[in-house]
Amino acid sequence: MIAIDLYLDPVCPFAWVTSSWLLDSAASTHQVTLRQMSLAVLNEGNDVETGHRPMLERSRRVGRIFAAAAERYDEAVFATLYREFGLQLHLKGRPAEAASINALSCAGLDPALTGALDDAAFDPAVARAHRASQDALGGPGGSPIISIAGRGFAGPVLTAPPPPDRGRALLEALLTTATVPEFAALQRPYQGPPSFSPAEDR
């Protein structure tokens, strides 16, 4: 069983697709752990396009809730809260604040944690979680980041969940890639926003 860590920002739609693929393809055969990172922290001090700023603000505020949940419970709560939050934000299209409130309720967590949305006291914890993601990659990178048996890669970025057979094949290809220390990068041009429906349904 290979240990696979996936670092993601809860508000990132591409990360939601990647996490869905990974959990479907690997959860029964490998040890998959979802971990927090932060696009807001990643972009601190950068000249960000106006259109991207609302997402980074969502990243900052929502990230605090996940940090507060980890402090109140433990780091393992991230996956449970992320699953419920992703359903609310990405699939049901609810605003981030409403998605956070509903996710806490559905996950059976203290609803008072929504108070962390505007509590900057949790920012250092978010920054520590983000730093762990960058250390796993070995340099700066966005959401998601995958680490396979301790070897980090930026991505994979998926535009839709692949069908099960192709999803498993993709996982095997990544596992093989992780055994090749000389492999450095593989990237395609931007393919547009993700779809949350399986590729075979489109």
Side-chain angles (χ1 to χ4, degrees):
M1 180 175 287
I2 297 174
I4 303 174
D5 293 330
L6 185 69
Y7 296 86
L8 47 86
D9 187 310
V11 305
C12 175
F14 287 105
W16 175 254
V17 177
T18 298
S19 67
S20 299
W21 153 76
L22 182 61
L23 292 173
D24 287 345
S25 301
S28 63
T29 54
H30 300 291
Q31 180 184 339
V32 176
T33 304
L34 303 184
R35 301 186 185 276
Q36 184 175 3
M37 68 164 295
S38 172
L39 292 171
V41 176
L42 177 67
N43 285 279
E44 282 178 348
N46 295 338
D47 186 13
V48 178
E49 293 181 13
T50 303
H52 289 166
R53 290 174 187 168
M55 185 185 71
L56 297 183
E57 181 60 20
R58 289 193 297 272
S59 168
R60 185 172 305 284
R61 299 180 75 226
V62 170
R64 292 167 176 163
I65 287 186
F66 279 84
E71 181 181 285
R72 174 75 61 86
Y73 301 96
D74 55 44
E75 290 187 356
V77 79
F78 179 85
T80 301
L81 182 56
Y82 177 67
R83 180 173 60 250
E84 299 297 343
F85 178 77
L87 289 171
Q88 298 290 328
L89 180 74
H90 301 302
L91 298 189
K92 296 184 179 180
R94 294 199 167 105
E97 186 164 339
S100 300
I101 295 170
N102 291 339
L104 288 167
S105 175
C106 291
L109 305 178
D110 185 353
L113 290 173
T114 54
L117 279 165
D118 297 306
D119 190 346
F122 291 102
D123 288 352
V126 175
R128 286 192 298 272
H130 178 74
R131 186 161 55 250
S133 75
Q134 307 300 278
D135 290 344
L137 179 61
S143 176
I145 290 170
I146 194 168
S147 176
I148 301 172
R151 185 148 191 248
F153 298 88
V157 175
L158 305 177
T159 55
D165 56 337
R166 294 210 300 268
R168 289 188 295 270
L170 174 60
L171 176 61
E172 290 304 315
L174 286 175
L175 294 176
T176 299
T177 299
T179 68
V180 182
E182 296 81 7
F183 180 81
L186 179 68
Q187 186 173 345
R188 296 179 65 197
Y190 180 66
Q191 302 296 305
S195 167
F196 303 123
S197 300
E200 61 187 356
D201 293 345
R202 293 185 294 118

